[in-house]
Amino acid sequence: MMLRHISRFVIVGVINTAVYYALYLLLRLVMPYLAAHLVAIFFAMVGSFFLNCYWTFQTPPTWRKFAVFPLTNATNYVLTTVGVVVLIEWLDVDERIAPILAALAAIPVTFLLSRRVLRGRRGGQVTTPATDPGGRAAAARASSVE
């Protein structure tokens, strides 16, 4: 189960990056780069939130989770930035490779933080048709985004 969540989390990350970059390039045609960056990152983060809720962790989205979710992205940016500096300055890793290594190193921490934010303190409980034959979980998911 954990391996499936991790692989889905990575896939969502790739999709999120592609959405961000495509939107950024399109928006750059009609607005300054900083505005394009901010708008693109907002939409990519919203998409990432819903993909991670529904597909990665199979948990209902809520306004509280939506409000806290950007902290997982901020954590990723900090870890990646620190990682790049440490790899280049202290460990003499090539500048072209360091960002990839730092991003890979940040994935487990970002995954665990996202899992905690989106699924709750104890990791939440995934319901399946076998464990919820009456479909109560699906009804709760449909009504949980207020």
Side-chain angles (χ1 to χ4, degrees):
M1 181 72 98
M2 178 74 87
L3 184 57
R4 184 177 83 191
H5 286 165
I6 292 170
S7 60
R8 286 181 175 199
F9 183 79
V10 170
I11 292 168
V12 169
V14 169
I15 292 169
N16 183 46
T17 302
V19 166
Y20 160 78
Y21 193 58
L23 280 173
Y24 171 77
L25 291 177
L26 287 171
L27 293 170
R28 269 291 294 122
L29 299 173
V30 295
M31 61 180 64
Y33 77 91
L34 185 56
H37 165 73
L38 293 173
V39 172
I41 208 163
F42 171 78
F43 281 106
M45 199 177 308
V46 169
S48 176
F49 171 75
F50 285 106
L51 280 173
N52 276 305
C53 280
Y54 287 121
W55 190 59
T56 304
F57 299 112
Q58 294 98 30
T59 186
T62 65
W63 285 112
R64 181 190 173 287
K65 291 175 189 176
F66 185 74
V68 177
F69 185 72
L71 295 176
T72 65
N73 290 308
T75 302
N76 183 287
Y77 295 135
V78 169
L79 289 173
T80 304
T81 301
V82 169
V84 166
V85 171
V86 167
L87 287 167
I88 293 170
E89 298 295 328
W90 296 0
L91 301 176
D92 203 30
V93 173
D94 187 289
E95 291 179 17
R96 294 166 294 186
I97 296 170
I100 295 166
L101 296 176
L104 288 172
I107 288 172
V109 175
T110 307
F111 169 79
L112 292 172
L113 186 57
S114 295
R115 183 172 183 240
R116 183 170 186 144
V117 165
L118 296 178
R119 293 191 65 201
R121 225 178 225 152
R122 290 177 296 242
Q125 203 173 31
V126 177
T127 54
T128 64
T131 61
D132 185 23
R136 290 178 297 277
R141 269 196 276 320
S143 66
S144 64
V145 177
E146 300 158 358

